[in-house]
Structure formats: C-alpha cells, structure tokens
Amino acid sequence: MSHSAIPTKIAMDKATIDAHIHRLAEKIVARNPIAADLVLLGILRRGRPLAERIAAHIGTLTGVTPAVGSLATTLYRDDFHTGADASKVRGDTHFDFTLDDRVVLLVDDVLAAGRTIRAAIDETMDYGRPRQIQLACLIDRGGRELPIQPDYLGETLSVPTTQWVACRFEESDGEDVVYLEERTHTL
C-alpha cells in the first residue's frame, strides 16, 4: 500500500511562518543567553532549512549565529528494521562541530507521534554528550505516542488523522507554505 496526499487547505502562509520563526528565535535566546554554547541540528528533511532560519534570527538578535547541522534519523527509528530497504534513508547526518558540553537544539517542522524526536535524541547521544538537548518545532499536530513535548513551539494545529500537515520551504520546495492534505491510500 502506498500513501499519497492531496492539498486541501493552507494552514500557514509565508508571513505566518516567518513570524513563528522569529518568535521561536526570541524564546530560544531568552532561555539560552550565551548563543555560542548553542548548536542546532535540523532533522531531515525540512528541519534543516527551519534550523538555518532560526539560527539566522538568533544571529541577528545576539550577534552570534549558532552552527547548524543535519540529522538523518531513519536508521534510529523503531520502525526501521535491519535488512529494510536502504532506499528509505533520506539524506545524511552531517555536522562539523562537537556536541560535547553544548546545548543542542533539535529542530523539526512537525511534531506528531514523537518517534522521530526519540530517534534524533538517540542519534545525538551517539555523537557526544551534550550539556542539554532542547526541541523546537514549527507545528505540533498532536497524536503523541511517546512522552515528548517541544521546548519551543510555533503553533498547535488540531488535525484529524485523515489529514497530513505538509510544510514546504523555499529552500527545498520552492515555496513557504504549510498545507493540510487529505491522506489517500492506494494498493
């Protein structure tokens, strides 16, 4: 069975996304006044451009732009089994800084079940021993299966299980918009 989705409604436009990113950066700076201690890891795929934008705003606010890297959590997910199709792995984990004794801010576009964030925490710990791990998400759509909550959140959307929240960013998709899409299933 494959899944596809059909855009049905715009949940956020570019101006709303930008406003949320700015507010997220302000909240992050308020809690982390020493920006040099902070590094951001964007969860691939759309957490990376979001992390880069947040870091740029932090740089504007503090004069110090935190380093940004990427996490490809697929191999750490509890639904990825040994021998599974390697083509499901999208992107590579990449960063060129230490995580030891740093405040690591995990960044993702949409928080749902919490399993991707759990995988990101596991992967982060394999690369070092951060002083602290925090989480920033643009959207919380609910449906948690694990006890994970964001430290910084743009917006909570009440979305039925028949819909998918699809973030699109200029860097990867050519537009800044968040769609609610109807899920369709095909054999």
Side-chain angles (χ1 to χ4, degrees):
M1 181 176 5
S2 68
H3 301 279
S4 61
I6 301 166
T8 59
K9 177 182 172 186
I10 294 177
M12 283 187 201
D13 61 12
K14 178 178 177 23
T16 304
I17 292 169
D18 290 344
H20 282 308
I21 290 171
H22 182 75
R23 280 193 297 278
L24 287 168
E26 288 177 331
K27 291 176 184 177
I28 292 162
V29 167
R31 183 167 166 193
N32 301 281
I34 304 173
D37 288 349
L38 187 64
V39 295
L40 282 67
L41 293 176
I43 298 171
L44 293 175
R45 295 186 328 186
R46 292 183 180 80
R48 175 63 191 245
L50 182 58
E52 289 171 349
R53 290 183 188 192
I54 291 170
H57 278 277
I58 291 170
T60 300
L61 294 168
T62 67
V64 176
T65 302
V68 177
S70 303
L71 287 179
T73 60
T74 305
L75 295 175
Y76 286 80
R77 289 187 54 91
D78 58 7
D79 56 358
F80 186 84
H81 303 288
T82 304
D85 184 1
S87 67
K88 292 180 183 176
V89 178
R90 293 184 175 175
D92 294 315
T93 292
H94 175 77
F95 52 90
D96 57 1
F97 46 83
T98 182
L99 302 183
D100 293 330
D101 200 36
R102 305 293 289 277
V103 176
V104 174
L105 179 64
L106 300 176
V107 180
D108 205 4
D109 57 342
V110 179
L111 175 60
R115 294 184 179 279
T116 299
I117 304 306
R118 190 227 27 100
I121 292 168
D122 287 351
E123 183 172 4
T124 299
M125 298 304 287
D126 278 352
Y127 283 99
R129 190 174 193 289
R131 180 179 337 137
Q132 186 178 42
I133 298 175
Q134 299 174 6
L135 174 61
C137 297
L138 182 62
I139 297 167
D140 182 349
R141 69 152 291 137
R144 211 77 74 244
E145 296 172 7
L146 300 174
I148 292 176
Q149 300 300 321
D151 297 285
Y152 313 100
L153 177 63
E155 186 171 332
T156 299
L157 295 177
S158 296
V159 181
T161 57
T162 60
Q163 290 185 333
W164 184 259
V165 177
C167 292
R168 302 284 184 252
F169 295 117
E170 184 69 37
E171 298 88 337
S172 55
D173 306 295
E175 63 180 339
D176 284 338
V177 66
V178 176
Y179 291 111
L180 297 182
E181 300 176 339
E182 288 297 323
R183 292 182 183 196
T184 60
H185 304 284
T186 58
L187 295 175

